Amino acid sequence: MPSPIQKLFCRASAIPTLLSNVDQFKAESQDSSLAEENVLNARALKFSFVSALTNLNEMENELTSQGHRPCQPPPSNSKSVESKHLDRVLWFPGITSANALVYLWTFKIICMTELRELAEFSAPRHIEDEICFRDLSPASLKHQIIELAVLICQSMEYCIQDEMALYGPASAIYPLRIAHKILKSATNYGAHTKWFRQILEAAVLIHSFGVIHSDLALRQILVDDTLDLRLGDFNSSQCTGPPALGHEKASHCLSRDYELDILVLGSTLYELVAGGAPYSELNPNESDDPDSIKAQIRRQHAVVDIEMEDRYRKQQFPVVTDVRRGDIILGCWKGQFATAQEALDRYLQA
């Protein structure tokens, strides 16, 4: 008779294929000529993930009905958990139950995360959509994802007990990695949301005085004692009209081909939410060796900068479908905003 974890993997067998389909969809969704087709494809993918999520929910109900349910607090005869942590720990009937539920919660997080991202591409268009996606709004999904990540973390004390040998700890690595990523993102969300707005506000402020920064990037932004941002390094700034005293790196903007810091504003916001500069994958830092760093700098100037500028001119921008407020970033890159104020207004509308 198959074990609960074997049954779970059978129920979740469609998820890897769905994830591959999502990757292909995201790559193709940059083509604006396929806008209507993209909406239909996103809708189909959403239905597929809802189906996978339904299977997982049914599996969870089955496990619960068969006694594979966590308890809290752990049994009083357990010596491995300090009493002060009892309210934050989940205990299980056995390692089989623990592994099945922890992986089930992980798979649910994966499905819900993809549903949140696909929501950007399609809104409910039919009554069938309204019914199917009724309880799956991005806000609701975010809340459920965080709750599942917390459950996974609360299960780790049980899974990594010495008596579990490798059956618990080895099985816990992937779920814990997913949960950590979710909770880290949730922790940073508030700060990033505030900083995203403050970067836009800083650009609006200096532009209101007729000043163009001319070297806007995340490295030019300071964080004060109250965790608010302060824009600095104006040594290359200019007033509207005269030539700039400097210009941005190729990763951020075509040299003064674009006025009022708008394109570079998108690149700076991208740095904030993506954790790296646009096109940084073209010239990764592979070593701390001085000679390697020098070679990397030479390659940056001789090859990579030219490639970056060519991509900007051709509007071949980094994919932003899976980064926070990618619509604002892409709007800055594509020139959809005439001013920073327009970008800020769009941001505040959401």
Side-chain angles (χ1 to χ4, degrees), residues 108-176:
K108 287 177 69 172
I109 286 176
I110 292 171
C111 291
M112 290 179 179
T113 300
E114 296 300 330
L115 281 169
R116 281 195 74 207
E117 295 178 358
L118 288 168
E120 298 180 17
F121 295 93
S122 66
R125 313 174 107 198
H126 311 286
I127 187 64
E128 182 184 7
D129 295 37
E130 295 284 358
I131 295 172
C132 185
F133 307 136
R134 180 172 49 205
D135 299 323
L136 298 174
S137 67
S140 174
L141 287 170
K142 176 187 173 184
H143 180 72
Q144 294 178 65
I145 288 169
I146 292 174
E147 284 190 335
L148 290 169
V150 170
L151 288 177
I152 291 172
C153 292
Q154 290 175 330
S155 305
M156 290 301 104
E157 187 81 32
Y158 179 88
C159 293
I160 62 175
Q161 296 177 91
D162 291 340
E163 55 264 37
M164 298 301 177
L166 289 178
Y167 294 104
S171 298
I173 294 173
Y174 179 70
L176 186 58

Side-chain angles (χ1 to χ4, degrees), residues 45-103:
L45 283 169
K46 285 174 68 176
F47 274 109
S48 296
F49 275 108
V50 168
S51 176
L53 194 56
T54 300
N55 278 333
L56 293 173
N57 288 333
E58 291 175 353
M59 177 73 180
E60 187 169 15
N61 291 335
E62 290 177 14
L63 289 173
T64 300
S65 66
Q66 295 168 4
H68 300 283
R69 69 172 71 215
C71 58
Q72 187 181 16
S76 58
N77 61 353
S78 172
K79 304 299 183 182
S80 62
V81 183
E82 297 181 24
S83 59
K84 65 180 180 180
H85 296 310
L86 293 185
D87 61 333
R88 299 199 300 269
V89 172
L90 292 180
W91 225 241
F92 299 85
I95 190 60
T96 300
S97 302
N99 282 340
L101 285 170
V102 166
Y103 268 89

Side-chain angles (χ1 to χ4, degrees), residues 20-42 45 121 317 319-321 330 334:
S20 177
N21 292 342
V22 167
D23 290 340
Q24 182 179 351
F25 166 75
K26 288 179 178 178
E28 295 173 350
S29 65
Q30 297 296 304
D31 188 345
S32 58
S33 65
L34 301 175
E36 183 63 25
E37 183 178 341
N38 288 337
V39 170
L40 294 175
N41 289 339
L45 283 169
F121 295 93
F317 303 115
V319 176
V320 293
T321 53
L330 196 60
K334 288 189 172 183

Side-chain angles (χ1 to χ4, degrees), residues 119-346:
E120 298 180 17
F121 295 93
S122 66
R125 313 174 107 198
H126 311 286
I127 187 64
E128 182 184 7
D129 295 37
E130 295 284 358
I131 295 172
C132 185
F133 307 136
R134 180 172 49 205
D135 299 323
L136 298 174
S137 67
S140 174
L141 287 170
K142 176 187 173 184
H143 180 72
Q144 294 178 65
I145 288 169
I146 292 174
E147 284 190 335
L148 290 169
V150 170
L151 288 177
I152 291 172
C153 292
Q154 290 175 330
S155 305
M156 290 301 104
E157 187 81 32
Y158 179 88
C159 293
I160 62 175
Q161 296 177 91
D162 291 340
E163 55 264 37
M164 298 301 177
L166 289 178
Y167 294 104
S171 298
I173 294 173
Y174 179 70
L176 186 58
R177 184 186 305 156
I178 295 294
H180 175 264
K181 180 180 178 181
I182 294 299
L183 295 177
K184 181 180 179 182
S185 175
T187 302
N188 292 338
Y189 182 83
H192 278 184
T193 299
K194 179 175 74 170
W195 291 343
F196 198 105
R197 187 194 74 246
Q198 289 182 340
I199 291 173
L200 288 167
E201 290 173 340
V204 169
L205 178 63
I206 64 171
H207 292 171
S208 70
F209 289 98
V211 175
I212 301 174
H213 191 278
S214 299
D215 193 17
L216 192 59
L218 206 59
R219 69 182 185 280
Q220 315 292 26
I221 296 173
L222 310 175
V223 182
D224 67 17
D225 291 340
T226 61
L227 297 183
D228 289 308
L229 299 189
R230 296 287 182 264
L231 178 59
D233 194 358
F234 285 84
N235 69 324
S236 296
S237 62
Q238 65 177 109
C239 294
T240 306
L245 298 176
H247 58 79
E248 300 84 357
K249 291 184 177 180
S251 65
H252 280 61
C253 188
L254 292 173
S255 302
R256 293 295 90 208
D257 282 2
Y258 211 83
E259 292 299 324
L260 297 179
D261 297 322
I262 305 301
L263 193 151
V264 69
L265 180 59
S267 297
T268 304
L269 295 170
Y270 178 87
E271 273 192 285
L272 174 70
V273 296
Y279 311 118
S280 57
E281 72 279 1
L282 295 177
N283 197 21
N285 184 11
E286 299 177 349
S287 172
D288 293 332
D289 177 70
D291 290 336
S292 177
I293 294 174
K294 290 177 183 177
Q296 182 190 24
I297 294 173
R298 288 194 295 269
R299 171 176 163 75
Q300 183 74 39
H301 293 310
V303 179
V304 178
D305 283 357
I306 296 173
E307 173 65 19
M308 288 180 178
E309 291 185 4
D310 185 57
R311 291 191 183 189
Y312 271 128
R313 288 194 178 93
K314 293 178 179 177
Q315 295 206 343
Q316 296 175 348
F317 303 115
V319 176
V320 293
T321 53
D322 56 350
V323 300
R324 190 175 303 125
R325 294 319 305 264
D327 59 321
I328 304 295
I329 295 168
L330 196 60
C332 290
W333 283 340
K334 288 189 172 183
Q336 295 173 355
F337 307 121
T339 65
Q341 183 65 59
E342 289 186 11
L344 177 60
D345 291 343
R346 171 74 69 81

